């Protein structure tokens, strides 16, 4: 089946090209994705997939084997190539990110996350006395759904940050949709539009 996007290459079934170790996890993957789709969800986040995995695989030892095996590795470290996102856009998103983090602290603090909020500029929230803190700063912004974007947290400096992030998010959304459709197809799940 050909893709509408010439930059993306698709096979008839991902399952045909999966390594043997991943094929062994196929049953669990199918159960996780099926439960996710049953709930009417259309966007998949890693932590939600982990939650579904916990629900789908009752046996803790078996669940740990699946998540510590190839499936877990793929979920945590996959990098897409041939996605159709131009190198110039990838360079631009890196550039505006570097420019933002190079700003003086006073400027970055204009976009600081509020206490007990995840979105905005800052370091990890401390939720436990036993939490390991990595002391790095992040800019976490919600991009989808668009109506939930908190534009007051989107930097105005560098000047083209917002435009670049919006363009990048739209491209990533297309890649994500193609990827999840391919996963659903490989697991013989019905496509929900």
């Amino acid at each position: 089946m050909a893709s509408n996007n010439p930059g993306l290459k698709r096979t008839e079934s991902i399952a045909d090209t999966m390594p043997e170790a991943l094929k062994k996890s196929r049953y669990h993957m199918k159960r996780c994705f099926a439960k996710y789709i049953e709930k009417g969800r259309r966007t998949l986040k890693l932590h939600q997939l982990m939650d579904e995995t916990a629900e789908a695989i009752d046996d803790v030892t078996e669940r740990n084997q699946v998540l510590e095996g190839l499936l877990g590795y793929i979920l945590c470290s996959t990098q897409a190539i041939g996605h159709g996102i131009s190198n110039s856009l990838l360079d631009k998103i890196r550039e505006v990110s570097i420019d933002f983090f190079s700003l003086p602290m006073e400027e970055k603090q204009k976009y600081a996350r509020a206490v007990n909020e995840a979105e905005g500029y800052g370091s990890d929230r401390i939720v436990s006395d036993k939490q390991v803190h990595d002391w790095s700063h992040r800019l976490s912004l919600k991009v989808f759904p668009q109506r939930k974007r908190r534009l007051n947290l989107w930097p105005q400096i560098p000047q083209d940050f917002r435009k670049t992030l919006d363009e990048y998010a739209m491209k990533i959304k297309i890649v994500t949709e193609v990827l999840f459709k391919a996963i659903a197809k490989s697991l013989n799940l019905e496509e929900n539009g």
Side-chain angles (χ1 to χ4, degrees):
M1 170 185 269
S3 170
N4 293 339
N5 186 336
L8 296 174
K9 187 177 169 186
R10 217 167 161 190
T11 63
E12 283 305 308
S13 173
I14 293 174
D16 293 339
T17 59
M18 283 183 192
E20 193 59 37
L22 188 55
K23 286 182 183 179
K24 291 177 183 173
S25 301
R26 189 171 189 273
Y27 167 76
H28 297 301
M29 289 173 56
K30 188 170 183 173
R31 284 189 60 206
C32 292
F33 281 105
K35 284 179 141 266
Y36 198 81
I37 291 167
E38 279 173 18
K39 294 178 181 177
R41 295 181 178 154
R42 297 179 52 113
T43 315
L44 184 66
K45 295 179 181 173
L46 180 60
H47 74 274
Q48 292 167 328
L49 180 58
M50 295 303 185
D51 292 344
E52 295 300 331
T53 303
E55 287 182 29
I57 307 172
D58 296 326
D59 182 84
V60 177
T61 305
E62 188 176 4
R63 180 173 56 238
N64 288 341
Q65 286 176 341
V66 168
L67 292 176
E68 291 170 4
L70 188 58
L71 175 60
Y73 175 77
I74 288 171
L75 291 173
C76 295
S77 64
T78 298
Q79 178 180 349
I81 59 171
H83 43 63
I85 300 175
S86 70
N87 285 337
S88 62
L89 179 57
L90 294 173
D91 291 342
K92 188 65 180 170
I93 194 72
R94 282 187 207 101
E95 178 186 325
V96 297
S97 298
I98 290 168
D99 290 349
F100 172 78
F101 283 99
S102 298
L103 292 170
M105 185 58 75
E106 309 82 61
E107 185 63 32
K108 293 183 283 197
Q109 287 297 330
K110 291 179 183 177
Y111 309 101
R113 65 171 184 77
V115 175
N116 295 323
E117 291 278 333
E119 200 170 356
Y121 172 77
S123 57
D124 291 340
R125 291 183 296 163
I126 299 176
V127 295
S128 165
D129 292 341
K130 297 178 183 179
Q131 177 177 341
V132 176
H133 195 55
D134 69 6
W135 298 105
S136 64
H137 288 90
R138 296 171 174 72
L139 178 62
S140 299
L141 301 170
K142 184 176 287 195
V143 293
F144 293 110
Q146 286 179 289
R147 70 183 184 286
K148 296 229 178 174
R149 289 181 179 178
R150 295 171 59 191
L151 295 178
N152 62 311
L153 296 174
W154 285 45
Q156 294 179 1
I157 300 173
Q159 191 172 19
D160 49 355
F161 184 95
R162 291 178 177 201
K163 178 180 174 270
T164 304
L165 180 58
D166 181 60
E167 184 180 353
Y168 178 71
M170 295 306 193
K171 297 289 186 181
I172 289 295
K173 185 176 183 182
I174 292 168
V175 172
T176 302
E177 288 170 353
V178 170
L179 177 64
F180 285 141
K181 285 179 183 179
I183 290 170
K185 184 176 180 180
S186 73
L187 296 172
N188 297 319
L189 296 173
E190 290 184 27
E191 192 176 304
N192 271 352

